[in-house]
Amino acid sequence: MGGNQSVSEEIRPRHIAIIMDGNGRWAQQRNKSRSAGHRAGGRAVRQIIEAAYRLKIPCLTFFAFSSENWQRPQKEVDLLMELFMRALRREINELHDQQVRIRFIGERSDFSRPLQEAMREAENLTLKNDELLVQIAVGYGGRWDITQACRTIAGEVASGQLQADKIDENMLAQKLSFHDAETGMQIPDPDLLIRTGGEKRISNFLLWQMAYTELYFCDTLWPDFNAQGLDQALAWFAGRQRRFGKVLDT
Ligand code: IPE
Ligand code: IPE
Ligand code: MG
């Protein structure tokens, strides 16, 4: 097959999920504090949003803070919270001008009130934007997501609204955090996962939604990841043959 335009359009992911790992090691290599690493990581997020925007990728999901990251030292957790808050305040207007929609997924009730409000405001402000959807997973765990969906479904069964034998995969998916209650639409599963920082694991990210995602791991530490690194991941993705369990016609 020739490398014509239509083919390259087709093999571009609609949704990229990213595990941004390696901020701490990046800082350590430079004799800097872990907080300097997280700050540098924030700058990389901005660059990757820009690059995805230029490439017309419709959806990005960043893993910013996992359910398990709450177990880090309080000082680091506090600093991360402050960085989230500042980044939101600093970037939200420009993102809004670019027609970027922001959506948070994860257990929000564990975050401070001001942070919860800032998240809600960012979502409300950018709700109608349709150039690029940026989801930020905070306080997120794949197990949390599936558990909260089960809790909702169990509640509906207990109250008699739902019969247990009507529960199927589609229904469960609609209770997970990729169900967009604002639009009633389902956010597509990621086509591509990128994990920086050299570890080859999922770390409780999108367990349900990554059933058929292509997994790309690179050694680059997150603060060093840039548009060129994204291009490399996309080139790798373009060479994958996705079968979804079927046999492809040849
Ligand atoms: C990823 O970088 C950022 C968060 C998990 C918040 P790390 O902080 O995990 O960096 P390493 O893995 O220690 O290098
Ligand atoms: C995964 O990184 C979570 C985020 C990037 C937010 P971790 O650094 O927490 O993962 P582990 O501990 O190496 O599995
Ligand atoms: Mg890490």
Coordinates of all heavy atoms in Angstrom, one line a residue, residues 19-28 34 37-38 63-66 69 72 76 80 84 195-197 199 201 221-223, ligand 1:
I19 N 0.6 8.0 30.1 CA 1.0 7.8 31.5 C 2.3 8.6 31.5 O 3.4 8.2 31.0 CB 1.3 6.4 31.9 CG1 0.0 5.6 31.8 CG2 1.8 6.3 33.3 CD1 0.1 4.1 32.1
M20 N 2.3 9.8 32.2 CA 3.4 10.7 32.2 C 4.3 10.3 33.4 O 4.1 10.8 34.5 CB 2.9 12.1 32.4 CG 1.7 12.5 31.6 SD 1.2 14.2 31.9 CE 0.1 14.1 33.3
D21 N 5.2 9.4 33.1 CA 6.0 9.0 34.2 C 7.5 9.4 34.1 O 8.0 9.6 32.9 CB 6.0 7.4 34.3 CG 6.5 6.9 35.6 OD1 6.4 7.6 36.6 OD2 6.9 5.7 35.7
G22 N 8.2 9.7 35.2 CA 9.6 10.0 35.2 C 10.0 11.3 35.6 O 11.2 11.7 35.5
N23 N 9.0 12.1 36.2 CA 9.4 13.4 36.6 C 10.4 13.4 37.8 O 11.3 14.2 37.8 CB 8.1 14.1 37.2 CG 7.1 14.4 36.2 OD1 7.3 14.3 35.0 ND2 5.9 14.9 36.6
G24 N 10.2 12.5 38.7 CA 11.1 12.4 39.8 C 12.6 12.0 39.4 O 13.5 12.6 39.8
R25 N 12.7 11.0 38.5 CA 14.0 10.6 38.0 C 14.7 11.7 37.2 O 15.9 11.9 37.3 CB 13.9 9.3 37.2 CG 13.8 8.1 38.1 CD 13.3 6.9 37.4 NE 11.8 7.0 37.2 CZ 11.2 6.3 36.3 NH1 11.8 5.4 35.5 NH2 9.9 6.5 36.1
W26 N 13.9 12.4 36.4 CA 14.4 13.6 35.7 C 15.1 14.6 36.6 O 16.2 15.0 36.3 CB 13.3 14.2 34.9 CG 13.6 15.3 34.0 CD1 14.0 15.3 32.7 CD2 13.7 16.7 34.4 NE1 14.2 16.5 32.2 CE2 14.1 17.4 33.2 CE3 13.5 17.4 35.5 CZ2 14.2 18.8 33.2 CZ3 13.6 18.8 35.5 CH2 14.0 19.5 34.4
A27 N 14.4 14.8 37.7 CA 14.9 15.8 38.7 C 16.2 15.3 39.3 O 17.2 16.0 39.5 CB 13.8 16.1 39.7
Q28 N 16.1 14.0 39.7 CA 17.2 13.4 40.4 C 18.5 13.4 39.6 O 19.5 13.7 40.1 CB 16.8 11.9 40.7 CG 17.6 11.3 41.8 CD 17.1 9.9 42.1 OE1 16.5 9.2 41.3 NE2 17.4 9.4 43.3
R34 N 12.2 16.8 43.5 CA 11.1 16.2 42.8 C 10.1 17.3 42.3 O 9.6 17.1 41.2 CB 10.4 15.2 43.6 CG 11.2 13.9 43.9 CD 10.4 12.9 44.7 NE 9.3 12.4 44.0 CZ 9.4 11.4 43.1 NH1 10.5 10.8 42.9 NH2 8.3 10.9 42.5
G37 N 11.0 18.6 39.1 CA 10.6 17.6 38.0 C 9.1 17.7 37.7 O 8.8 17.6 36.5
H38 N 8.3 17.9 38.7 CA 6.9 18.0 38.4 C 6.6 19.3 37.6 O 5.7 19.3 36.7 CB 6.0 17.9 39.7 CG 6.1 16.6 40.3 ND1 5.9 15.4 39.6 CD2 6.3 16.2 41.6 CE1 6.0 14.4 40.4 NE2 6.3 14.8 41.6
F63 N -2.7 10.9 32.4 CA -2.7 10.4 33.8 C -1.8 11.3 34.7 O -0.6 11.3 34.6 CB -2.2 9.0 33.8 CG -2.6 8.1 35.0 CD1 -3.6 8.5 35.9 CD2 -2.1 6.8 35.2 CE1 -4.0 7.7 36.9 CE2 -2.5 6.0 36.2 CZ -3.5 6.5 37.1
A64 N -2.5 12.1 35.4 CA -1.8 13.2 36.2 C -1.6 12.8 37.7 O -0.6 13.2 38.3 CB -2.5 14.5 36.1
F65 N -2.5 12.0 38.2 CA -2.4 11.6 39.6 C -3.3 10.4 39.9 O -4.5 10.4 39.6 CB -2.9 12.8 40.5 CG -2.6 12.7 41.9 CD1 -1.3 13.1 42.4 CD2 -3.6 12.3 42.8 CE1 -1.1 13.0 43.8 CE2 -3.3 12.2 44.2 CZ -2.1 12.5 44.7
S66 N -2.6 9.3 40.3 CA -3.4 8.1 40.5 C -4.0 8.0 41.9 O -3.6 8.7 42.8 CB -2.5 6.9 40.2 OG -1.6 6.7 41.3
N69 N -1.3 7.5 44.2 CA -0.3 8.6 44.4 C -0.7 9.4 45.7 O 0.1 10.1 46.2 CB -0.3 9.5 43.2 CG 0.4 9.0 42.0 OD1 0.1 9.3 40.8 ND2 1.3 8.1 42.2
R72 N 1.9 9.1 48.5 CA 3.2 9.7 48.5 C 3.3 10.7 49.7 O 2.3 11.0 50.3 CB 3.4 10.5 47.2 CG 3.5 9.6 46.0 CD 3.9 10.3 44.7 NE 4.0 9.3 43.6 CZ 4.6 9.5 42.5 NH1 5.2 10.7 42.3 NH2 4.7 8.6 41.6
E76 N 4.9 16.2 48.8 CA 4.8 16.0 47.4 C 3.4 16.1 46.9 O 3.1 16.8 45.9 CB 5.4 14.7 47.0 CG 5.4 14.5 45.4 CD 6.3 13.3 44.9 OE1 7.1 12.9 45.7 OE2 6.1 13.0 43.7
L80 N 2.0 18.9 44.3 CA 1.3 18.5 43.0 C -0.1 19.3 42.9 O -0.5 19.8 41.9 CB 1.1 17.0 42.9 CG 2.3 16.3 42.5 CD1 2.2 14.8 42.8 CD2 2.6 16.5 41.0
F84 N -1.3 21.8 40.0 CA -2.5 21.6 39.3 C -3.3 23.0 39.3 O -3.8 23.4 38.2 CB -3.5 20.6 39.9 CG -3.0 19.2 39.7 CD1 -3.3 18.2 40.7 CD2 -2.1 18.8 38.7 CE1 -2.9 16.9 40.6 CE2 -1.7 17.5 38.6 CZ -2.0 16.5 39.5
R195 N 3.4 5.4 27.4 CA 4.0 5.5 28.8 C 5.5 5.9 28.7 O 6.3 5.1 28.1 CB 3.9 4.2 29.6 CG 4.4 4.5 31.1 CD 4.3 3.3 32.0 NE 4.7 3.7 33.3 CZ 4.2 3.4 34.5 NH1 3.1 2.7 34.5 NH2 4.7 3.8 35.6
T196 N 5.8 7.0 29.2 CA 7.2 7.4 29.3 C 7.8 6.9 30.5 O 7.2 6.3 31.4 CB 7.3 9.0 29.3 OG1 6.7 9.5 30.4 CG2 6.6 9.6 28.0
G197 N 9.1 7.1 30.7 CA 9.8 6.7 31.9 C 10.3 5.3 32.0 O 10.9 4.9 33.0
E199 N 9.1 2.3 32.4 CA 8.4 1.1 33.0 C 7.3 0.6 32.0 O 6.6 1.3 31.4 CB 7.7 1.5 34.3 CG 8.5 2.3 35.3 CD 9.6 1.4 35.9 OE1 9.7 0.2 35.6 OE2 10.4 1.9 36.7
R201 N 4.3 -1.0 32.5 CA 3.1 -1.4 33.2 C 2.0 -0.4 33.1 O 2.2 0.7 32.7 CB 3.5 -1.7 34.7 CG 4.1 -0.5 35.4 CD 4.5 -0.9 36.9 NE 5.3 0.2 37.5 CZ 6.5 0.0 37.9 NH1 7.2 -1.1 37.8 NH2 7.1 1.1 38.5
L221 N 12.1 10.3 29.8 CA 11.5 10.8 31.1 C 10.5 11.8 30.7 O 10.7 12.7 29.8 CB 12.5 11.3 32.1 CG 13.6 10.2 32.5 CD1 14.7 10.8 33.3 CD2 12.9 9.0 33.1
W222 N 9.3 11.9 31.4 CA 8.2 12.7 30.9 C 8.6 14.2 30.6 O 8.3 14.7 29.6 CB 7.0 12.6 31.9 CG 6.0 13.6 31.4 CD1 5.6 14.7 32.1 CD2 5.2 13.5 30.2 NE1 4.6 15.4 31.3 CE2 4.4 14.7 30.2 CE3 5.1 12.6 29.1 CZ2 3.5 14.9 29.2 CZ3 4.2 12.9 28.1 CH2 3.4 14.0 28.1
P223 N 9.4 14.8 31.5 CA 9.7 16.2 31.2 C 10.5 16.4 29.9 O 10.5 17.5 29.3 CB 10.6 16.7 32.4 CG 10.2 15.8 33.5 CD 9.9 14.4 32.8
Ligands
IPE1 C1 5.0 11.0 37.3 O1 6.3 11.1 37.7 C2 4.1 12.0 37.9 C3 3.2 11.6 38.9 C4 3.0 10.3 39.2 C5 2.4 12.5 39.6 P1 6.9 10.4 39.0 O2 6.8 11.4 40.1 O3 6.2 9.1 39.2 O4 8.4 10.2 38.6 P2 9.3 9.0 38.9 O5 8.6 7.8 38.4 O6 9.5 9.0 40.4 O7 10.6 9.3 38.2

